[in-house]
Amino acid sequence: MARAVSTRRTVFFTIVAWIIALLIFFPILYTIITSFKSETEAIQGFNLIPSATVESYAAVQAQSNYFKFFLNSVIISVGSTLLALLIAVPAAWSMAFSPTNRTKDILMWMLSTKMMPAVAVLVPIYLLFRDFGLLDNRLGLTFMLTMINLPIVVWMLYTYFREIPGEILEAARMDGASLWNEIVYVLTPMAVPGIASTLLLNIILAWNEAFWTIRLTTTNAAPLTAFIASFSSPQGLFWAKLSAASTLAIAPILIMGWFSQKQLVRGLTFGAVK
Amino acid sequence: MATHNTRALARWMMAPSVGLLLIWMMVPLAMTLWFSFQNYNLLNPANVSWAGLFNYQFFYSDPAFFQSIWNTLVIVVGVLLITVLGGISIALLLDQPMWGQGLVRILVISPFFVMPPVAALVWKNMIMHPQYGVFADIARFFGMQPVDWFGQYPLFSIIIIVAWQWLPFATLILLTALQSLDGEQKEAAEMDGAGFVNRFIYLTVPHLARSITVVILIQTIFLLGVYAEILVTTNGGPGYASTNLPFLIYRTALLGYDVGGASAGGIIAVILANIVAFFLMRAVGKNLDK
């Protein structure tokens, strides 16, 4: 009896949850479907079954050199994340393993820099970038995103490193491990998962950053965010192409995102929710 | 001696992060503050002079200023209402036993990974377009007149798009918090005859309170800076109907070339963000002590 009730409950919740999930996912699903339609099909009203043509994908690549933008996105997001890790790992390490009375203040201060509205420094950054020749420059944008995400990287790494028990270090030291051996054989294996999660989340954040990437680039260094935003000016109806470009722009990061759900919570709440 | 060495090393390890961030924060902010007291137009860069508080007065007397502050707050509050209430409901639902839970979760969190320009364009063209959008198709199916969403309800349309992007964030965090709720506590309450409503009010809500605070504060920070969604859909219009403070500053700076005016607006945005930040820091800081 109890079993029948619980099965009925499960069926009910399954149906409701799937309906809501599909409604939320619908805009993405419809974009993917539309990307496999022809342009005339795309504006012929609601239709969930495309003719499965890939002409839009071919057209996007032919018209706009899509892969240049894609490559810029990869270079900027991966580059800025690696650079941020390089700067942040030592800092987070020392904060987690030899904290002082000021460690907490420094962490809070880093967090506070994240709260400065980007638009407040738009003018000086724009002028500085112009004067240093960094406008529409991949290096400039990579540096920009490094600095934007640095506080989050330090924070995430700090929360991961803090979970590595200090006793293990002591035990290794007692056994006569040198500092080098301690780092290579004891600490690194324990730190790698945390560093990997931080890497993943920050590539996602950098990939989707849509204020500086749009404002500081025009053509050469423009990543996918700027490329897609350029579609906003009306140049006729080309929704199948727009959908194809959008699908290509979000697909890699969507898949990475699915793998990083757990880290997402921790990273975006600065360790406040785990 | 060893501790002394370790401390010195620790300081050196922190130096690059702290130093870079310090320069990064102080230099542009100091420049914004300085520019905000200058008459400085990019079209006339040779003629820069001290303006005193003129830029602030100019910004203050601009009717678009109050409208943009109002719009900024409407976007923040509107999106928060939808995402927090929706997030709690969906998190509660996903916490129930069901088939394919992992897949449902993946579908629900997906919008968060969609870059803002894509989200805005997809909603603008494929969902809300007055002629070819899915909403228009639905309206025609029921024999109604399709709505021109961005013409008639620009701010509301933007709120819907931004809420769609942030709903997964709220859901995911609240779901994580729900799943950390002690199962034994729930069972005990159930055994004591507490109904669903009572369990929700006396057990779930207090447990979620802190996570809800975190969701509200973090989202507020990002929502105060909504930009790409407006740029791509309404471009701030019609008139100033969907211009928020960041968008007004962008217009003043890069379309009006008015460095002084835009900088004054920037300082106002910093003050606004600081009020929010103050509360966020307290909430997150409390957690650090644990």
Side-chain angles (χ1 to χ4, degrees):
Chain A
M1 189 61 205
R3 184 146 184 98
V5 170
S6 95
T7 312
R8 213 178 302 152
R9 257 184 61 166
T10 308
V11 170
F12 172 74
F13 284 126
T14 305
I15 292 170
V16 177
W18 274 94
I19 290 173
I20 288 175
L22 286 173
L23 278 178
I24 291 176
F25 191 70
F26 178 76
I28 300 174
L29 182 71
Y30 201 55
T31 306
I32 298 171
I33 290 174
T34 307
S35 75
F36 292 107
K37 291 177 177 172
S38 68
E39 288 298 352
T40 36
E41 249 183 299
I43 53 168
Q44 269 168 0
F46 187 70
N47 179 11
L48 282 178
I49 300 147
S51 60
T53 169
V54 289
E55 63 180 42
S56 313
Y57 286 91
V60 165
Q61 168 57 12
Q63 270 180 17
S64 60
N65 201 2
Y66 171 87
F67 282 97
K68 192 186 84 183
F69 300 103
F70 183 85
L71 200 64
N72 280 339
S73 269
V74 172
I75 292 174
I76 291 163
S77 58
V78 175
S80 68
T81 302
L82 289 180
L83 195 59
L85 276 176
L86 200 69
I87 303 169
V89 166
W93 194 268
S94 70
M95 283 178 193
F97 290 114
S98 38
T100 62
N101 329 337
R102 278 178 308 166
T103 299
K104 195 189 150 184
D105 295 333
I106 293 175
L107 276 167
M108 295 314 284
W109 167 74
M110 283 189 167
L111 184 55
S112 76
T113 64
K114 195 68 201 141
M115 283 158 214
M116 189 165 68
V119 73
V121 291
L122 172 64
V123 173
I125 294 285
Y126 189 83
L127 295 178
L128 285 173
F129 267 56
R130 189 194 62 184
D131 294 344
F132 285 102
L134 290 171
L135 283 179
D136 202 20
N137 178 311
R138 280 190 287 251
L139 200 68
L141 207 56
T142 303
F143 178 72
M144 186 77 206
L145 292 185
T146 303
M147 294 314 293
I148 285 180
N149 284 335
L150 188 60
I152 295 187
V153 177
V154 173
W155 261 88
M156 271 187 85
L157 289 173
Y158 170 74
T159 62
Y160 281 113
F161 289 168
R162 212 171 43 154
E163 282 167 14
I164 298 176
E167 293 87 35
I168 286 193
L169 291 186
E170 275 169 38
R173 250 171 249 169
M174 295 264 233
D175 289 343
S178 68
L179 183 65
W180 177 247
N181 282 338
E182 188 183 305
I183 289 174
V184 173
Y185 295 109
V186 185
L187 291 175
T188 310
M190 299 185 80
V192 161
I195 294 177
S197 326
T198 311
L199 182 91
L200 213 57
L201 177 65
N202 278 277
I203 289 177
I204 295 173
L205 290 179
W207 186 279
N208 287 344
E209 203 286 325
F211 181 72
W212 297 110
T213 50
I214 293 175
R215 286 279 63 92
L216 297 180
T217 61
T218 45
T219 49
N220 287 329
L224 288 168
T225 43
F227 167 63
I228 299 286
S230 72
F231 274 79
S232 65
S233 42
Q235 300 157 3
L237 298 169
F238 43 79
W239 292 352
K241 280 188 219 75
L242 170 67
S243 301
S246 300
T247 305
L248 288 170
I250 62 175
I253 234 58
L254 202 56
I255 293 164
M256 279 179 76
W258 291 340
F259 285 108
S260 68
Q261 313 181 30
K262 290 255 162 60
Q263 288 71 41
L264 188 76
V265 173
R266 186 203 280 249
L268 285 173
T269 60
F270 300 97
V273 177
K274 277 183 216 163
Chain B
M1 192 61 204
T3 29
H4 184 76
N5 274 340
T6 328
R7 277 216 192 119
L9 183 68
R11 219 168 305 158
W12 277 111
M13 284 162 80
M14 274 197 290
S17 293
V18 175
L20 277 171
L21 269 177
L22 197 64
I23 297 169
W24 175 247
M25 194 168 96
M26 298 316 276
V27 172
L29 205 55
M31 283 172 78
T32 303
L33 193 62
W34 173 249
F35 288 149
S36 75
F37 296 112
Q38 305 281 320
N39 289 312
Y40 183 3
N41 194 301
L42 283 176
L43 293 179
N44 191 3
N47 204 352
V48 177
S49 62
W50 180 257
L53 289 172
F54 173 78
N55 286 321
Y56 290 92
Q57 273 168 357
F58 169 77
F59 226 81
Y60 186 79
S61 60
D62 186 353
F65 172 66
F66 285 103
Q67 169 129 42
S68 73
I69 296 255
W70 173 248
N71 289 345
T72 310
L73 295 177
V74 169
I75 291 176
V76 170
V77 174
V79 175
L80 279 179
L81 270 178
I82 297 174
T83 53
V84 170
L85 294 181
I88 293 174
S89 324
I90 298 173
L92 278 174
L93 177 67
L94 292 188
D95 199 29
Q96 306 299 323
M98 69 180 67
W99 291 304
Q101 196 170 28
L103 217 53
V104 167
R105 238 176 104 126
I106 279 179
L107 293 181
V108 169
I109 65 165
S110 293
F112 189 75
F113 303 117
V114 176
M115 55 175 68
V118 169
L121 274 183
V122 164
W123 276 85
K124 178 191 182 185
N125 288 331
M126 317 238 278
I127 311 288
M128 288 173 148
H129 195 283
Q131 208 171 343
Y132 304 111
V134 174
F135 283 175
D137 289 333
I138 295 172
R140 272 194 295 265
F141 179 78
F142 287 109
M144 290 183 299
Q145 192 65 31
V147 179
D148 179 11
W149 292 97
F150 291 101
Q152 286 175 307
Y153 312 102
L155 206 53
F156 176 73
S157 307
I158 288 166
I159 288 174
I160 294 292
I161 298 174
V162 179
W164 178 73
Q165 289 180 284
W166 284 95
L167 183 62
F169 173 80
T171 306
L172 192 59
I173 285 172
L174 295 172
L175 182 61
T176 311
L178 264 185
Q179 285 170 342
S180 72
L181 181 60
D182 195 355
E184 278 175 30
Q185 263 185 19
K186 259 195 282 189
E187 263 173 48
E190 226 164 314
M191 293 243 250
D192 287 345
F196 178 79
V197 176
N198 276 331
R199 287 205 308 272
F200 180 71
I201 293 174
Y202 294 108
L203 198 61
T204 313
V205 169
H207 179 76
L208 285 184
R210 226 176 57 88
S211 309
I212 294 175
T213 320
V214 171
V215 166
I216 290 176
L217 293 169
I218 290 177
Q219 280 199 35
T220 305
I221 288 189
F222 284 93
L223 296 178
L224 283 171
V226 167
Y227 172 77
E229 291 85 346
I230 298 175
L231 177 76
V232 168
T233 54
T234 64
N235 212 3
Y240 286 100
S242 58
T243 298
N244 67 354
L245 190 54
F247 207 78
L248 182 67
I249 296 170
Y250 149 75
R251 259 164 109 140
T252 315
L254 296 188
L255 300 182
Y257 302 105
D258 181 2
V259 169
S263 298
I267 295 299
I268 294 168
V270 170
I271 294 169
L272 201 66
N274 265 300
I275 298 170
V276 180
F278 173 74
F279 291 104
L280 176 63
M281 304 290 269
R282 277 191 15 180
V284 179
K286 243 181 235 161
N287 183 59
L288 259 191
D289 294 332
K290 274 188 206 155

